[in-house]
């Protein structure tokens, strides 16, 4: 019997709402595989943010809550305080995590709250038409930087490295990429296990592709992702 | 005086909003009162795209309306979305008979088919089918074709810089002008998205591809290490070509399954009995 989808995906909501070739689909597939492998479908709650990540509102056959700009992490922290036995996942994009919701994430990491934060980084605000985000690398053309991002706006914020400096000593912080789904799945699994077994903060940034706003085809999208991986080095940051 | 309420509906990226703009601009130049509002969902791609147009000699008080006089639908999913705006006994439903099955429009009293996608694929480029529809709509509303074409040149501008494309587009538009509606006898919906799942069995492998979920991004084709996948003629949910698999070449590595964002493809190894 062939299986095209993880068990915890909500079959009724497919085809899902993401664009063709979206990196969210690849990330959520591996997140689904990780949830299936750990067998935690019945005790997981997923929090999603504003932006493209909100299109996952009926993606999984698990409880999902959608929150406002960058407030996914504090909502899931509060949820975890009330229901310590549940597994709380905050799923957000790079705009929601690093621009609007950065202070929420920093304090969750500082207090070592037992939630898993997954940030999908496609270096733009994809839902509104591909504007420049803090993650955009220098020289990248977006709809608000038509001549390429100038130097003075910064080289691209390295989120995991920033959070490492404030996080508790047992936290799990890593960066992964959709170019290697096997490694992505094991990273997500490790992050979820950190929350379940050790009750520690875990944070995974996933480098992703955005063919619609990058205006690239499948091959060009992955070529650009490999260029990104040279700047945002992959692996466990802590 | 007369008021015409028109709905143009199709998949995002089919040129629905461009058709609507051309129609409203042309009518506005002829000193008619016009209103036009686009309507689509939160997704960037793949949502039914609908345009509400009102052309009137009187004042228009509100741009939105419930029941339309003319409805033009180009895709099956769009038809389901605008079904609430159709009065089965009064509304004229013009549909692309090469993408929408004629069973779906049986319940409407006035339905007219126009095989735009088929004509465009066979005679012009695939993307020019919206110009055929525009040509027919121009004839239906009794607009002067020259005015409409000026407006098309104005709004498409850059895309018509290449003289070859401009000529082909003009021909497609004229073909639309001179086309005749199909009534009762519709052509075959050969360009409609496929349904179900395509299962192919090899000697020791089974492959499953689901056109209902495939959006045609091409990641599986690019990630296949042995080149066993290529685009086929079958259409997926976004009316884009979906891949077909050559099980002779396939090594069942599972890369397509891992990378597919939509959960539309999988290959599994079967246990082979009576192995030599």
């Amino acid at each position: 019997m062939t299986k095209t989808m993880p068990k915890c995906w909500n079959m009724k909501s497919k085809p899902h709402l993401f664009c063709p070739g979206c990196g969210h689909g690849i990330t959520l597939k591996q997140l689904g595989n990780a949830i299936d492998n750990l067998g935690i479908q019945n005790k997981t709650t997923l929090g999603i943010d504003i932006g493209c990540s909100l299109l996952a509102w009926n993606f999984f056959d698990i409880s999902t809550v959608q929150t406002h700009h960058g407030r996914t992490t504090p909502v899931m922290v509060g949820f975890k305080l009330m229901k310590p036995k549940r597994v709380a996942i905050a799923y957000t994009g790079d705009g929601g995590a690093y621009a609007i919701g950065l202070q929420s994430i920093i304090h969750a990491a500082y207090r070592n709250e037992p939630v898993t934060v997954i940030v999908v980084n496609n270096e733009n605000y994809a839902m509104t038409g591909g504007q420049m985000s803090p993650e955009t690398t220098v020289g990248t053309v977006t709809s608000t930087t038509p001549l390429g991002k100038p130097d003075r706006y910064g080289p691209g914020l390295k989120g995991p490295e920033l959070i490492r400096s404030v996080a508790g000593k047992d936290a799990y912080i890593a960066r992964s990429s959709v170019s290697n789904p096997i490694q992505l799945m094991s990273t997500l699994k490790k992050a979820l296990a950190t929350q379940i077994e050790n009750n520690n903060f875990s944070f995974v940034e996933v480098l992703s592709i955005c063919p619609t706003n990058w205006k690239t085809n499948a091959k060009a999208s992955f070529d650009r992702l490999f260029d990104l991986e040279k700047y945002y080095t992959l692996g466990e940051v802590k | 005086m007369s008021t015409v309420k028109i709905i143009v509906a199709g998949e995002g990226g089919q040129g629905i909003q461009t058709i609507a703009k051309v129609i409203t601009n042309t009518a506005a130049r002829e000193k008619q009162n016009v209103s036009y509002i686009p309507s689509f969902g939160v997704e960037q791609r793949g949502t039914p795209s609908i345009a509400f147009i009102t052309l009137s000699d009187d004042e228009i008080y509100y741009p939105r309306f419930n029941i339309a006089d003319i409805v033009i639908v180009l895709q099956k999913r769009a038809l389901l979305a605008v079904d609430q705006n159709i009065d089965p006994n009064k509304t004229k439903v013009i549909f692309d008979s090469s993408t929408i099955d004629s069973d779906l429009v049986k319940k409407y009293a006035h339905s007219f088919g126009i095989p735009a996608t088929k004509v465009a694929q066979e005679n012009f480029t695939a993307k020019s089918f919206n110009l055929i529809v525009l040509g027919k709509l121009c004839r239906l509303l009794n607009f002067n074709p020259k005015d409409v074409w000026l407006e098309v040149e104005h709004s498409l501008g850059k895309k018509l810089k290449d003289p070859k494309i401009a000529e082909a587009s003009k021909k497609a538009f004229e073909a639309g002008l001179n086309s005749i509606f199909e009534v009762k006898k519709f052509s075959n919906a050969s360009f409609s998205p496929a349904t179900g799942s395509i299962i192919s069995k090899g000697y020791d492998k089974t492959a499953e591809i689901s056109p209902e979920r495939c959006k045609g991004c091409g990641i599986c084709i690019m990630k296949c290490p042995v080149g066993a996948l290529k685009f086929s003629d079958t259409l997926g949910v976004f009316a884009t070509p979906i891949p077909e698999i050559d099980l002779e070449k396939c090594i069942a590595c599972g890369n397509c399954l891992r990378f597919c964002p939509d959960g539309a493809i999988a290959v599994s190894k079967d246990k082979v009995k009576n192995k030599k």
Side-chain angles (χ1 to χ4, degrees):
Chain A
M1 178 68 195
T2 47
K3 252 180 147 182
T4 56
M5 292 190 270
K7 213 178 91 203
C8 61
W9 274 25
N10 182 1
M11 312 279 172
K12 283 176 197 159
S13 69
K14 304 293 171 295
H16 55 63
L17 303 168
F18 296 109
C19 303
C22 181
H24 275 285
I26 307 174
T27 313
L28 289 169
K29 183 177 239 173
Q30 299 313 325
L31 180 62
N33 283 338
I35 289 173
D36 279 358
N37 278 3
L38 293 168
I40 51 169
Q41 184 184 352
N42 293 331
K43 54 175 189 173
T44 304
T45 303
L46 179 73
I48 50 176
D49 196 45
I50 288 277
C52 276
S53 69
L54 85 83
L55 298 173
W57 70 69
N58 56 2
F59 201 94
F60 288 107
D61 207 355
I62 61 181
S63 321
T64 307
V65 57
Q66 199 262 315
T67 69
H68 268 268
H69 307 85
R71 302 294 167 257
T72 324
T73 322
V75 167
M76 293 325 284
V77 166
F79 179 81
K80 183 78 179 180
L81 284 173
M82 283 309 292
K83 305 238 177 204
K85 282 183 182 167
R86 302 280 296 183
V87 180
I89 305 172
Y91 184 82
T92 160
D94 58 315
Y98 298 143
I100 324 165
L102 185 59
Q103 45 110 344
S104 310
I105 288 190
I106 285 181
H107 281 280
Y110 181 60
R111 295 192 304 264
N112 199 16
E113 299 281 4
V115 292
T116 302
V117 181
I118 299 167
V119 179
V120 175
N121 176 5
N122 53 15
E123 64 158 355
N124 61 33
Y125 290 92
M127 181 173 261
T128 48
Q131 287 83 1
M132 180 189 81
S133 89
E135 270 53 51
T136 310
T137 45
V138 172
T140 306
V141 175
T142 66
S143 57
T144 44
T145 55
L147 300 175
K149 183 178 175 181
D151 262 333
R152 67 192 173 91
Y153 290 147
L157 185 70
K158 292 190 171 177
E161 283 85 347
L162 172 71
I163 285 155
R164 172 178 62 184
S165 57
V166 291
K169 66 178 187 339
D170 295 324
Y172 178 80
I173 299 168
R175 188 187 279 120
S176 189
S177 162
V178 296
S179 66
N180 191 344
I182 300 173
Q183 192 238 346
L184 171 60
M185 203 264 271
S186 60
T187 311
L188 291 172
K189 230 170 113 178
K190 248 185 180 173
L192 289 172
T194 307
Q195 183 191 160
I196 299 163
E197 288 160 16
N198 309 332
N199 234 17
N200 283 323
F201 180 77
S202 53
F203 183 92
V204 180
E205 180 185 295
V206 184
L207 290 182
S208 174
I209 54 174
C210 183
T212 302
N213 288 308
W214 291 0
K215 298 180 178 64
T216 48
N217 61 10
K219 188 168 184 312
S221 306
F222 276 91
D223 286 349
R224 188 166 156 185
L225 180 64
F226 291 136
D227 283 346
L228 264 184
E229 284 171 11
K230 283 174 197 157
Y231 178 70
Y232 294 112
T233 40
L234 302 184
E236 292 179 2
V237 179
K238 185 170 184 175
Chain B
M1 299 288 269
S2 66
T3 304
V4 190
K5 292 169 183 168
I6 308 167
I7 286 178
V8 190
E11 210 103 309
Q14 280 190 318
I16 307 298
Q17 309 302 343
T18 315
I19 292 179
K21 266 182 217 164
V22 169
I23 292 289
T24 40
N25 280 344
T26 319
R29 282 196 189 178
E30 290 178 12
K31 307 283 182 222
Q32 269 190 312
N33 290 327
V34 295
S35 86
Y36 148 60
I37 42 170
S39 156
F40 34 74
V42 290
E43 308 95 310
Q44 284 248 327
R45 289 284 178 281
T47 165
S49 160
I50 302 166
F52 291 83
I53 306 167
T54 314
L55 312 177
S56 176
D57 296 327
D58 300 331
E59 279 178 44
I60 300 165
Y61 294 104
Y62 193 62
R64 199 55 197 260
F65 48 83
N66 286 331
I67 300 298
D69 300 321
I70 301 171
V71 169
I72 297 148
V73 278
L74 304 176
Q75 276 294 339
K76 189 177 151 191
R77 294 201 306 164
L79 180 63
L80 302 176
V82 297
D83 189 51
Q84 54 187 348
N85 304 105
I86 299 175
D87 182 341
N89 300 320
K90 282 183 189 166
T91 308
K92 282 182 190 167
V93 180
I94 300 164
F95 67 102
D96 190 335
S97 58
S98 51
T99 58
I100 298 173
D101 207 354
S102 55
D103 285 355
L104 287 170
V105 291
K106 258 184 188 168
K107 57 182 171 181
Y108 310 126
H110 309 285
S111 50
F112 306 95
I114 171 166
T117 308
K118 195 176 148 198
V119 173
Q121 291 247 355
E122 281 167 5
N123 304 328
F124 316 105
T125 53
K127 282 195 172 174
S128 61
F129 76 97
N130 46 23
L131 286 165
I132 297 177
V133 175
L134 179 64
K136 190 66 211 176
L137 187 61
C138 159
R139 184 51 42 95
L140 197 72
L141 295 169
N142 280 330
F143 284 157
N144 185 354
K146 274 184 189 165
D147 294 349
V148 176
W149 185 251
L150 276 177
E151 201 55 54
V152 171
E153 278 182 335
H154 182 71
S155 64
L156 289 181
K158 278 181 194 167
K159 290 181 186 167
L160 296 180
K161 261 189 181 170
D162 188 348
K164 265 187 192 170
I165 295 174
E167 199 184 328
S169 307
K170 182 99 197 248
K171 271 184 185 163
F173 179 66
E174 274 160 8
L177 275 176
N178 303 324
S179 68
I180 302 162
F181 276 139
E182 296 170 337
V183 186
K184 282 175 187 168
K185 254 189 145 183
F186 301 114
S187 51
N188 219 347
S190 49
F191 290 92
S192 62
T195 50
S197 57
I198 302 164
I199 296 174
S200 41
K201 270 188 185 292
Y203 170 62
D204 58 348
K205 297 179 255 335
T206 310
E208 183 182 347
I209 297 172
S210 166
E212 279 172 350
R213 295 194 287 271
C214 180
K215 294 174 181 169
C217 61
I219 287 179
C220 52
I221 294 172
M222 178 217 147
K223 285 289 175 188
C224 184
V226 288
L229 286 158
K230 65 171 197 288
F231 279 124
S232 68
D233 293 335
T234 322
L235 298 180
V237 61
F238 281 13
T240 46
I242 66 164
E244 64 182 356
I245 191 160
D246 181 358
L247 281 175
E248 295 276 295
K249 282 185 188 170
C250 176
I251 53 169
C253 64
N255 249 4
C256 47
L257 166 66
R258 258 171 237 131
F259 277 100
C260 178
D262 304 287
I265 186 168
V267 181
S268 66
K269 266 185 187 165
D270 301 335
K271 278 184 185 167
V272 180
K273 291 170 191 171
N274 309 327
K275 213 174 187 181
K276 275 180 191 173

